[in-house]
Amino acid sequence: EMSASLVGSEMCIRDSICTDYVTLLFKNLIRFIGDDFTPMEASVIKNFAAEHIVIQKINGKYNAEACIATDSKTYMAFAERFAKDSFTEVDDFVNATAGEFLNVNDGLFVVNESNEHGVELTLTPQEFLENGELALSGTAFCIPVNYPFGKLNFIIAT
């Protein structure tokens, strides 16, 4: 049986979208959230359930879907770090804040794809799922990232 990391790395080699996206994601995590995280082994997935999921679709020359999935405590702490503010409950503002991180990351990705590869892409508005499950088409993988405040799962489907 092939290990998940081997499968993941082979997919990335075949697909520069993956490599470019993940590289940018880690740079933006360091820049906006903090460098006190540990990336865990990536895995290929078909679906993913979580208390909170933020989804943004990337459309154009190719289509992809980027998501953040985690539990309430981690979701709120992630939003607090990004907003440099404190929250008492998961509400629309916390959703908007977590969504904005994804939007900033994906926006930079789209600009880079255009500038470096001449690939024109657009972003859809973020969607928010509570206690939901993603059913992913195509090739999807999950990159868990452990912060002191909890584990965030970043999912990219192409």
Side-chain angles (χ1 to χ4, degrees), residues 98-119:
E100 187 55 23
F101 173 84
L102 194 59
N103 194 54
V104 166
N105 186 75
D106 294 352
L108 290 167
F109 175 74
V110 164
V111 167
N112 290 347
E113 286 292 284
S114 176
N115 292 345
E116 294 169 22
H117 307 293
V119 174

Side-chain angles (χ1 to χ4, degrees), residues 5-26:
S5 64
L6 181 61
V7 171
S9 63
E10 284 179 3
M11 282 190 315
C12 288
I13 290 165
R14 243 188 344 245
D15 186 355
S16 70
I17 300 162
C18 162
T19 308
D20 294 348
Y21 188 87
V22 173
T23 302
L24 180 65
L25 175 65
F26 285 145

